[in-house]
Amino acid sequence: MRVVLASSEAVPFAKSGGLADVSTALAKAVAGRGHAVHLVMPYYASLMASHPTEVIDGLTLRIPVGTETYEGRVRWTSLPADRGGADVTVLFVEQPVLFSREGLYGDADGDFGDNCARFAFFSRAVLETCKALLLRPDVVHANDWQTGLIPVLLAAEYGLDPTFVGTGSVFTIHNLAYQGGFSHEHMLQTGLGWEYFNWRQMEHFGGLNLLKTGIVFADRVNTVSPSYAWEITTAEGGCGLDGTLAERGADLSGILNGIDLGVWNPATDPHIATNYDASDWAAGKAACKAALRQELGLPTPDAAEVPLFGMISRMADQKGFDILAEAADEIFAEDLQCVFLGTGDPRYESLVRELSAKYPDKVAAFVGFDEGLAHRIEAGCDAFLMPSRYEPCGLNQMYSMAYGTVPVVRAVGGLKDTVVDLDEDAAAATGLSFVGYDAESLTQAVQRTVDAFGNKPVWSKLVANGMARDFSWDRSAAEYLKLYEAACGPAETPQIDEDAA
């Protein structure tokens, strides 16, 4: 199968969140199963100087966006094969005016005002690159609002081109809260006729919505966990698109993300103090915990050993920092320690700094991001906090289980799908979870964790169960291939709903 995967970010080139990890890992896993995969993303020149690429000679793209025409070119490199698989070709669409900036989508002043033009250009450039290189994809896999125009462009303009006859489209929602909403005037930048600007297709509450566009026009729609696929069809979790998603119910699915075991593996991780696996985790984690405490300046308590919690996160309401702020004093009255790593809302950056100053023997805070430290936190901590308001999939709970670190999560989305609560099934439990989104529920979950940590047989069972779970991308890639096969079929011209137009 020939797969073109379009994403606005991918590691190690550019990253703002889990989309980058998923795009790269999925591409490698599908290629590892013997399929031809091209990963296409923008070339963010200021961010990617350390990653050598080559220009494809003679390939110049001239893409109309509204009244402007932007000229770009295509660069390429490859991701090396993992575990005997095939290399993945990465194609970069270079356009300096649109993509040579410090941020991916915005800066300290907010979102870039020309984001619609930037990603309208990119979406067309993906398809023009396929034509120029004669890729003839069986499926184009678009991801999030930045590529939401690709399914409608395939259906309305490119579907009868010889390059795309029989090409299916898959659209993955990584986080429904980010929708690519713009005023109606931006419809001109899509190059599509106004007949598509209606409440059933591209219009949403009077504006243009690129996420909705991808949902409506893709052959198959999926998101990154089964529970989140259901949650987004409800009024509570649908972010205003629950009706649209419910209408696509027969074509909507949830495929749980995997983790890249070539990167996140305590047996081979070069970032941690001592490598270990499921056979010697107790000694390995003890060494990593001691080294982490020393690195962060946290003392070793004089009394009986206490659990060390970790939280690596964007510091935002979505990630539970609002209820953490309410619960903090009661939580840190417990015999525990905690390390925070991340950036985000200035209120919560200040919160973790203040907690570190108020509880210097219990709290360490690192505002910023350090990839090596993230690995050392996963290896050195006993428990990992993820009290999310909502969580499409989550990756850190899976990293944690792979490292023998017990996740403490709110039972939503992918957290619900991956963590078995101790009280639900003690024999199969892999962590602790709670339901209510409030400070009291979070505090009680932390207290339960401290109690479980004090019961060594129970804790050892939690660790062993978690380390035995298979969260590899091989499993997820197999599900995506089924989705790709379902999406392939003859091209169809979309029908305009005259009553809705």
Side-chain angles (χ1 to χ4, degrees), residues 386-406:
M386 296 184 74
S388 303
R389 181 186 296 270
Y390 66 92
E391 194 66 62
C393 178
L395 294 174
N396 277 103
Q397 82 277 18
M398 292 187 273
Y399 298 154
S400 295
M401 284 184 268
Y403 280 68
T405 301
V406 175

Side-chain angles (χ1 to χ4, degrees), residues 331-354:
I331 286 174
F332 292 111
E334 298 285 330
D335 287 328
L336 57 82
Q337 293 174 315
C338 188
V339 53
F340 296 97
L341 172 63
T343 61
D345 189 319
R347 291 177 299 160
Y348 299 133
E349 292 181 356
S350 297
L351 170 69
V352 299
R353 289 189 179 106
E354 290 165 4

Side-chain angles (χ1 to χ4, degrees), residues 179 182 197 199 202-209 212 239-241:
Q179 298 187 3
F182 302 94
F197 189 76
W199 67 273
M202 298 179 71
E203 181 267 337
H204 190 61
F205 292 101
L208 171 66
N209 187 305
K212 177 178 179 178
C239 298
L241 291 176

Side-chain angles (χ1 to χ4, degrees), residues 5-19:
L5 196 155
S7 176
S8 59
E9 53 189 83
V11 293
F13 311 108
K15 175 179 177 178
S16 70
L19 170 62

